[in-house]
Structures are given as C-alpha cells and as structure tokens.
C-alpha cells in the first residue's frame, strides 16, 4: 500500500467501516448485495492492512472483528437464541501462494505432524443444528455470531435434515453446523416464477437460500427445494480424533455431509484439490465460492484456537467470479406484461462458463447510469448462477472514441406513451396498460400459460388473433368462433377444433389458477393460492379491507395495494363479470381439491366433532383421497370419522348400524398407508 498519513488513514478507515457495514446489511439481512464478494473482500483487506499499519485505529466494532449479522431488524417472527459456541467466519484468500503462509502460521505454533481436510465451500447460508438424545432440538442461523434466529420450524421443511438420528454412539448432545443452499435447478425455477410474477429475482442461489429460510409459510418453503450440507461438529468430550472421522460418523447417523471432501497430506496436495475444483465446479449442481482447508487433527485445531472472527486452523481459498469481456453492440428496451421497461444488452457473442452469452440484463436506468455504460464499450459479464448473465463493469481503458451514450427512452418503444418512473422499484413503466399492444398480448400469453388457464396456444396465435383485432380484453378469448380461426394463416378445421376445445376445457380450471391468470400485478401463482384459500370467492376478496388482506401469509403492502387498485377499476370488475358469465370459476369448489390418492375410493365418510385440522380441510382431504363426504350416518356409510366432542347421536346411530368408527389417527393411517 502506498504511503499514507495517519489523518488520511483515519478518514479512509471510517469510510471503509461504514461501507462494509452497509454491504454486510445488504448481504445478510436484505439478501440483496449490491457489490460482488470479490469487491467486498478487497475492501475488507484494505481495512485489515490499515488497521495493522495503525493499530490505534482498530476498534472492537470494526467489520474486521465481527461476522456479518443476518439478524432481522425489528424482527418479531423469530426468537433470538444465544449460541453455545460463537459462530465464526473464515479467513480467506484469492491467492494460492498465501496458502503457504497459512501453513507456516500453523507450523509456528505446533510441531506435530498434521494433515488437511479439503472441502468445497458451499455458497449458501450458515446453519447450526443442535441434537439432543438423537433428536433435532433447535436450528439457529448464524445471526451476529453470538446469537442467531431460531428457525427450527423452518428447517423441518428441508428434506435432507433428519429430525431423528440413527446408529451407534450418538452423543447425548452436540451441535453440527453447515450450510443451507439452493441447487441451481430450484434456483432457476424460482427465479423464472418470480420474473413471471414481476417479483425481483434473487441475485444468486445464496440469497435465494437465505431469503427462503426465513419464509413464514411452510408450504411455500417446502416448494423452494432447499438442501443442506453439514461440515463442523461441536460438543463436550466428543470421541473423535480427526475432523474427517467426525464428519464420516455424522454421516452414519443419517446427517447430510459433503461427498467431495478429501484428505491432503500437504498444502501442495490441497492446491491440487483447488486446481481440480476450480475448473470442475461448473459441473456441480449447486453453487460453490471456494475451497475450505482445515487442519484435520482435532488436538492441533485446539492448540491453534481462534482469532476474534475466525479459526486459525482453517482458511478459505475463494474463486474469482468467472468473467468475460466483450463489446456492447446495442441495447433493447423490452416492455413487460405490466408495462415495466427492462434494458437488455446485445453483446458480441462470448464464451462464459461453458455457454455462449449474447444478451445480458441491465436491470434499469439507474444501473446503466451507475455503470456509465456506452454503446461500443467493452463490458464485463458474469454469470454467478443467474439465468440471464449480468453486466458488472465497463473496461474504460478500452472505450472506443466513437462510443455513444445510450438514450433511455422517454416513451414506450411499442405504443409511444410517455413513460413514468416507479421510485420504489427504480423502474420505468409504460402507463398505457389498456392500449399498449405488447402489454395486451403479454396479458393473453400469461392467461393461456400452463400454470394459469393452460390453453393450447402459443405466442404466435395470440399475435395473429391480436393483429386481426379479435382479442383486446381477456373475455374475447371465449368469443372466438371457428370462422374467426379459419381466417388465420395456416389454420384448418382440425387446429381450430383443438383450440376451441382447449378454451372450453379452461372453464373448469380451479379458482386459484383463474385468480393467477387474470394477471393482477405482483400476484403470482403461490400468492393467488394463498388468497384463494383464505377468501373462498372473488367477491370475498374484492370486498376485503386492506387489514384483512395483510393478514394472509406473505401478502405485504405492495401486494395489498396492487389488489385494491386492481379491484377499484370498473374495467377490471367488468372483465371478471364477463369471465364469470362464460363459466370460469371464481370461487373455491370444495369438491375440486387436489387429487392425492384413491385410498378412499368407494368410501362414504361422515365426520363428527373437531380435529387437529379444520373440518373444511378434513372434508377436502377425504375428497383428495377419492372418498365421499356425507352429512349423516346411514346404511351406506363406510366410516364415521369421530374427532374430539363428536355428536352422540351420530355415534349411537353408527353403533346401531354397525358402521365402523375411526379416530383421526386411524384415518391418517388409512390415507397414508
Ligand atoms: S467451516 C469456524 N466448511 O463459509 C468456521 N465453512 O465464508 C467453520 N462454508 O461461515 C466453517 N462451506 O458459512 C466451513 N466446507 C465448509 C464450508 C463453510 C461453506 C461457509 C460457512 C462459513 C463461511 C465463511
């Protein structure tokens, strides 16, 4: 580092501390980092160097001394619990050469022979599980390192985490720490859904994992496909000599551990492991951001101990994000279903992590200004697990003389309406939702999509129907005649019949999907289902006051506002009325639940009393397993399902007719058999 005076250092240290604290908050709490890990680590290194040069500037609250905190501010949902052992971070380096320094530091303290455990550094969110008497007692996030959020209920939705252990010699109580992560396939699926629902996509699988771990709705959490890998056991008098032995034993108890860890006898062997995974990691189905090297012998680990922030017996070699440098040819401004304008960069094709990249998202105007991007610039593209790669920087030294400043449009590129800016989302919108052709067509494309009305047609059909003037508002789809279809290029009787049959079939799509299909801003598939479960009909939803909307899990201010403004519009109410007249479902059909099995096929069941689930849910469950509900016991009744405080009359009648009476538990045994 160049020479620096104490006064200059003081100012720089203050600035770095404040910036690092902000980035820690963005990363750990908001799950929305604005800089890469690499940039963060560079700043952290600068701060460490300055604090070493001027020890009087090093304070206990410096980000170099604390781990970033994931504790929610003002959080009322999660109880915070103190960690039995502090939950620390790892020292890291981007240089293989510095790994030799790591070994030398070890050898200064201990003289006995040591080996290393080389492991993948899983890019997720840290978790600490406590098992007592072989049963999961508690799960805590890292929090601020000394206390974490209790997410026990949530981790029960992660299939790989066992609630009870199996096998021999399980300690009475121990902690095991690891990482909760989201495999790429689940991440891609989640982001595709979010983009479709106009929710901001997660920047990477790590943010998605940590955001999902703190979801309050367990069904929603289960669908996120989180996974877990455990890599560090702690406890009193544990019977292990080496780290790898401990991990192997944990595996034998049914705990998920990494299958990629390897013992190395020297730091050179550890570097070979790094070299291998530096290229091979792109074939892994989950994100990794480096390699962790740990001293394998637990007695040596104990001798080495910890600094305030990390163990001296382990370090992380971090991978630099893969980047490509390529010229920016032009920028398209795409209009989304609800009018959001997204700038998309057209790039000179370039190879990146095994695929050819031609397009990259620029997100919004702020992002373009921040990058000071010019057409003709050489730009850095990174993938980091996202579906669409992103532009992370501009190589100013390569800016050609004729590079031009792009002009963010003031009017919609499709319909010419003056754009408006939504400050909350830092996005520009075309406000002409009723007449902008792209928006109208996108509404139809969304409406017919598989997860919505599942109508057999593609974008080209919607385009053709729109061009002919046959469709402007959603109910127009149900007015299409065979004659109209036969005027479309290449359409014949057979294709017209298939299309109309599919339109007809869509009338039996359940309410929750219709609610999703009508395309209320911010109401995606999951939220539509939650709303349909809560408000059983569109009338109930339309007349619900804001406070009641907010009572539904996961429905926040933005969604509540969006619902209210949608239903306030006469035009939308009219569309719903017309769709209803065409026979679409706008209320929950109790008999139309999910189909789970045929285990109750042919059985008629009468329910009586209270159960651990609501009576409505019980009826739905019976129907979902192929059974029939009946109100009173008769000769046709197969079972009387008797809950708490079941009616004595029904019981007496069942006894008289010899009807089998079953308890709630027995019922579950039958359906889960
Ligand atoms: S060992 C006392 N092993 O990386 C520290 N950590 O950047 C024990 N991580 O806080 C951590 N994979 O959340 C360890 N194989 C692995 C890891 C790993 C990912 C995470 C962990 C740690 C962070 C440090």
């Amino acid at each position: 580092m160049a020479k620096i005076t104490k006064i200059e250092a003081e100012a720089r240290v203050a600035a770095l501390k404040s910036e690092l604290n902000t980035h820690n908050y963005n990363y750990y709490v908001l799950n929305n980092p604005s800089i890469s890990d690499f940039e963060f680590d560079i700043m952290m290194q600068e701060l460490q160097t300055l604090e070493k040069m001027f020890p009087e500037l090093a304070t206990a609250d410096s980000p170099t001394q604390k781990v970033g905190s994931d504790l929610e501010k003002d959080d009322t949902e999660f109880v915070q619990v103190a960690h039995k052992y502090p939950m620390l971070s790892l020292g890291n380096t981007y240089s293989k050469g510095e790994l030799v320094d790591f070994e030398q530091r070890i050898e200064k303290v201990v003289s006995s022979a040591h080996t290393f455990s080389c492991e993948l550094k899983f890019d997720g969110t840290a978790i600490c599980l406590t098992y007592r008497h072989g049963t999961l007692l508690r799960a805590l996030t890292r929090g601020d390192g000394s206390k974490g959020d209790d997410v026990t209920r949530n981790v029960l939705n992660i299939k790989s985490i066992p609630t009870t252990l199996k096998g021999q010699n399980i300690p009475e109580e121990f902690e095991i720490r690891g990482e909760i992560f989201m495999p790429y396939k689940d991440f891609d699926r989640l982001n595709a859904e979010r983009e479709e629902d106009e929710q901001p996509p997660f920047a990477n699988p790590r943010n998605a994992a940590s955001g999902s771990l703190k979801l309050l709705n367990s069904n929603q959490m289960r669908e996120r496909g989180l996974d877990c890998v455990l890599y560090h056991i702690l406890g009193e008098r544990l019977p292990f000599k080496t780290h790898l032995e401990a991990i192997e034993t944990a595996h034998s108890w049914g705990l998920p551990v990494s299958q990629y860890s390897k013992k190395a006898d020297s730091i050179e062997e550890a570097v070979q492991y790094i070299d291998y995974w530096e290229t091979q990691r792109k074939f892994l189905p989950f994100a990794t951001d480096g390699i962790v090297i740990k001293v394998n012998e637990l007695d040596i680990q104990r001798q080495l101990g910890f600094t305030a922030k990390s163990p001296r017996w382990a370090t992380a070699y971090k991978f630099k994000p893969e980047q490509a440098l390529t010229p920016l040819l032009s920028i398209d401004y795409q209009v989304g279903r609800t009018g959001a304008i997204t700038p998309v960069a057209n790039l000179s094709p370039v190879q990146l992590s095994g695929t050819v990249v031609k397009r990259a998202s620029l997100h919004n105007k702020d992002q373009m200004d921040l990058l000071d991007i010019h057409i003709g610039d050489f730009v850095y593209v990174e993938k980091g697990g996202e579906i669409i790669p992103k532009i992370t920087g501009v190589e100013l030294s390569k800016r050609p003389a004729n590079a031009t400043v792009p002009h963010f449009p003031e009017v919609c590129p499709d319909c010419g309406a003056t754009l408006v800016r939504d400050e909350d989302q830092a996005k520009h919108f075309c406000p002409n939702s009723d007449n902008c052709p792209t928006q109208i067509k996108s509404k139809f494309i969304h409406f017919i999509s598989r997860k919505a009305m599942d109508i057999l047609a593609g974008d080209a059909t919607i385009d053709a129907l729109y061009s002919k003037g046959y469709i402007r508002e959603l109910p127009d789809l149900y007015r299409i005649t065979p004659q109209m279809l036969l005027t479309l290029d290449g359409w014949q009787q057979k294709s017209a019949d298939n299309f109309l049959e599919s339109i007809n079939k869509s009338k039996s799509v359940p309410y929750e999907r219709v609610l999703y299909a009508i395309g209320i801003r911010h109401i995606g598939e999951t939220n539509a289902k939650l709303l349909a479960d809560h408000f059983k009909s569109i009338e109930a939803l339309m007349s619900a006051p804001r406070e009641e909307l907010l009572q539904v899990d996961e429905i926040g201010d933005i969604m509540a506002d969006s619902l209210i403004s949608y239903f306030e519009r006469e035009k939308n109410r009219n569309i719903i009325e017309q769709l209803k007249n065409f026979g679409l479902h706008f209320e929950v059909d109790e008999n139309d639940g999910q189909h789970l099995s045929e285990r109750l096929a042919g059985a008629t069941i009468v329910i009586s009393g209270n159960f651990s689930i609501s009576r409505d849910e019980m009826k739905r469950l019976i129907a979902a397993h192929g059974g029939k509900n009946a109100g009173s016991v008769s000769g046709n009744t197969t079972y009387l399902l008797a809950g708490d405080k079941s009616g004595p009359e029904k019981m007496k009648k069942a006894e008289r007719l010899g009807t089998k009476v079953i308890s709630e538990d027995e019922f579950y045994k039958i359906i889960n058999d």
Side-chain angles (χ1 to χ4, degrees):
M1 182 177 279
K3 240 179 156 264
I4 181 167
T5 66
K6 182 163 170 217
I7 298 181
E8 286 165 339
E10 212 167 344
R12 183 70 189 138
V13 164
L16 284 168
K17 278 184 186 172
S18 142
E19 266 202 62
L20 287 165
N21 282 334
T22 308
H23 290 306
N24 261 333
Y25 184 71
N26 290 346
Y27 185 95
Y28 286 108
V29 179
L30 302 182
N31 295 313
N32 189 15
S34 55
I35 60 169
S36 69
D37 286 8
F38 185 56
E39 290 164 298
F40 181 90
D41 291 335
I42 298 280
M43 271 198 258
M44 184 68 92
Q45 266 174 20
E46 188 186 344
L47 182 58
Q48 273 162 348
T49 312
L50 286 171
E51 287 178 345
K52 246 189 220 151
M53 285 166 76
F54 301 94
E56 62 277 30
L57 297 182
T59 52
D61 69 342
S62 166
T64 59
Q65 302 302 308
K66 318 178 284 180
V67 300
S69 169
D70 67 33
L71 295 174
E72 305 266 338
K73 277 199 179 154
D74 304 324
D75 182 22
T76 50
E77 302 298 343
F78 295 100
V79 176
Q80 289 173 8
V81 180
H83 285 296
K84 189 164 176 190
Y85 313 95
M87 217 167 155
L88 301 176
S89 181
L90 282 174
N92 68 51
T93 175
Y94 286 88
S95 133
K96 290 175 195 161
E98 281 184 13
L99 294 174
V100 178
D101 302 344
F102 166 65
E103 185 166 45
Q104 280 170 359
R105 284 196 299 275
I106 297 169
E107 284 169 353
K108 257 193 203 162
V109 181
V110 283
S111 49
S112 44
H114 58 266
T115 58
F116 295 107
S117 168
C118 306
E119 306 174 6
L120 297 181
K121 183 160 161 17
F122 291 81
D123 199 6
T125 183
I127 193 78
C128 173
L129 308 177
T130 304
Y131 283 87
R132 187 182 285 168
H133 305 303
T135 317
L136 178 67
L137 176 72
R138 191 180 297 120
L140 299 180
T141 67
R142 171 158 53 186
D144 62 4
S146 57
K147 56 184 182 313
D149 279 331
D150 186 333
V151 289
T152 315
R153 224 165 42 108
N154 297 33
V155 304
L156 298 179
N157 295 307
I158 300 174
K159 277 196 235 122
S160 45
I161 298 183
T163 44
T164 38
L165 303 179
K166 59 182 175 71
Q168 306 295 310
N169 304 326
I170 300 172
E172 201 173 292
E173 179 166 331
F174 68 96
E175 280 191 10
I176 186 156
R177 293 177 176 176
E179 208 79 356
I180 303 241
F181 63 94
M182 186 178 282
Y184 284 131
K185 71 170 185 347
D186 298 278
F187 172 71
D188 289 347
R189 183 174 46 91
L190 173 64
N191 261 358
E193 274 170 26
R194 286 175 74 87
E195 288 198 26
E196 198 170 303
D197 299 346
E198 280 203 278
Q199 289 173 297
F202 284 109
N204 51 49
R206 194 213 76 86
N207 298 129
S210 118
S212 305
L213 181 63
K214 293 214 170 164
L215 280 174
L216 300 176
N217 178 291
S218 32
N219 285 335
Q220 208 181 350
M221 220 204 115
R222 215 167 300 135
E223 283 163 12
R224 292 274 169 107
L226 293 178
D227 206 341
C228 177
V229 64
L230 301 167
Y231 45 63
H232 187 199
I233 305 191
L234 298 111
E236 312 297 317
R237 292 180 301 280
L238 296 181
F240 311 114
K241 285 208 159 34
T242 67
H243 164 73
L244 284 166
E245 177 202 342
I247 294 299
E248 241 170 68
T249 314
H251 187 46
S252 76
W253 297 332
L255 288 160
V257 306
S258 170
Q259 47 172 310
Y260 305 99
S261 302
K262 195 168 179 244
K263 186 172 152 215
D265 288 329
S266 64
I267 213 73
E268 289 70 31
E269 250 183 74
V271 171
Q272 282 170 17
Y273 181 89
I274 294 177
D275 288 342
Y276 177 80
W277 284 110
E278 206 147 40
T279 57
Q280 296 306 303
R281 72 184 182 117
K282 59 173 168 258
F283 301 112
L284 290 168
F286 49 79
T288 50
D289 61 339
I291 298 295
V292 182
I293 300 174
K294 299 174 183 167
V295 170
N296 190 24
E297 292 71 22
L298 297 177
D299 56 341
I300 303 185
Q301 283 193 5
R302 277 188 286 273
Q303 284 178 59
L304 288 163
F306 298 85
T307 69
K309 206 177 155 181
S310 50
R312 291 197 186 87
W313 43 262
T315 193
Y317 170 84
K318 290 187 68 175
F319 300 129
K320 284 206 194 87
E322 261 193 273
Q323 284 190 329
L325 190 61
T326 188
L328 167 67
L329 305 176
S330 61
I331 299 176
D332 288 340
Y333 297 90
Q334 289 183 347
V335 190
R337 172 163 59 90
T338 52
I341 309 289
T342 304
V344 178
N346 293 309
L347 306 168
S348 175
V350 66
Q351 192 79 25
L352 177 66
S353 312
T355 54
V356 177
V357 174
K358 291 189 209 135
R359 280 160 81 75
S361 171
L362 276 162
H363 303 296
N364 53 33
K365 182 168 187 314
D366 288 358
Q367 174 73 6
M368 287 169 57
D369 291 346
L370 198 73
L371 292 166
D372 180 29
I373 204 162
H374 286 38
I375 309 284
D377 267 341
F378 276 78
V379 294
Y380 288 102
V381 250
E382 266 178 38
K383 254 187 153 175
E386 295 86 344
I387 312 167
I388 309 184
K390 62 179 177 206
I391 294 184
T392 53
V394 170
E395 183 51 62
L396 291 175
S397 67
K398 283 183 169 250
R399 176 167 285 170
N402 61 353
T404 51
V405 179
H407 177 71
F408 197 95
E410 271 121 39
V411 298
C412 172
D414 191 28
C415 71
T418 304
L419 299 182
V420 290
R421 191 184 142 98
D422 179 330
E423 292 301 328
D424 282 352
Q425 295 183 57
K427 277 229 160 206
H428 284 76
F429 280 86
C430 163
N432 186 20
S433 58
D434 292 345
N435 300 302
C436 176
T438 309
Q439 288 187 61
I440 298 177
K441 284 187 267 182
S442 316
K443 278 187 193 108
F444 280 98
I445 291 167
H446 170 77
F447 185 82
I448 63 169
S449 63
R450 201 175 42 81
K451 284 187 278 179
M453 305 304 283
D454 196 16
I455 292 169
L456 279 179
D459 300 7
T461 305
I462 295 296
D463 231 358
L465 291 168
Y466 181 85
S467 305
K468 290 271 183 194
Y470 296 151
I471 54 170
R472 285 295 177 270
E473 288 180 354
L474 295 177
D476 294 340
L477 268 182
Y478 296 88
R479 295 193 183 95
I480 291 175
T481 61
Q483 290 74 21
M484 286 177 178
L485 292 172
L486 292 173
T487 67
L488 305 183
D489 263 358
W491 279 64
Q492 283 169 4
Q493 195 62 45
K494 180 90 186 119
S495 40
D497 288 348
N498 287 344
F499 179 74
L500 290 171
E501 192 190 321
S502 166
I503 293 264
N504 220 6
K505 223 172 117 196
S506 77
K507 293 180 184 170
S508 54
V509 161
Y511 168 46
E512 65 196 48
R513 276 170 52 196
V514 179
L515 187 58
Y516 166 64
I518 56 176
I520 304 172
R521 263 184 90 181
H522 305 295
I523 304 301
E525 201 192 350
T526 318
N527 295 320
K529 185 167 176 6
L530 292 171
L531 287 166
D533 277 350
H534 188 99
F535 304 100
K536 306 281 180 202
S537 69
I538 196 98
E539 283 77 20
L541 178 63
M542 274 167 150
S543 57
R546 194 166 192 281
E547 306 77 71
E548 205 183 332
L549 294 173
L550 289 171
Q551 270 166 24
V552 181
D553 267 353
E554 309 301 330
I555 301 293
D557 288 322
I558 294 179
M559 288 182 226
D561 289 343
S562 170
L563 285 160
I564 291 168
S565 67
Y566 179 89
F567 291 124
E568 252 167 23
R569 288 196 68 192
E570 163 96 44
K571 181 171 184 251
N572 292 333
R573 292 201 302 270
N574 186 271
I575 286 176
I576 290 173
E577 202 49 44
Q578 291 182 53
L579 290 174
K580 213 190 269 175
N581 291 337
F582 280 116
L584 272 65
H585 287 274
F586 278 96
E587 58 184 26
V588 171
D589 182 347
E590 298 293 350
N591 301 318
D592 193 26
Q594 270 177 302
H595 180 78
L596 297 175
S597 84
E598 282 298 324
R599 296 208 175 92
L600 297 175
T604 301
I605 301 180
V606 175
I607 65 171
S608 178
N610 300 322
F611 304 94
S612 62
I613 56 176
S614 75
R615 288 169 58 87
D616 278 349
E617 277 171 302
M618 186 55 96
K619 284 184 193 165
R620 247 178 279 157
L621 207 53
I622 293 171
H625 287 279
K628 220 172 101 189
N629 273 292
S632 58
V633 179
S634 72
N636 293 330
T637 310
T638 320
Y639 303 118
L640 171 63
L641 172 51
D644 204 21
K645 302 203 184 98
S646 58
E649 287 310 315
K650 280 186 180 158
M651 292 294 267
K652 260 193 238 155
K653 194 160 177 197
E655 204 176 311
R656 194 154 29 89
L657 295 173
T659 310
K660 188 161 182 202
V661 181
I662 56 170
S663 68
E664 186 175 351
D665 277 351
E666 284 167 319
F667 172 76
Y668 291 138
K669 271 195 201 119
I670 298 172
I671 61 170
N672 294 324
D673 184 14

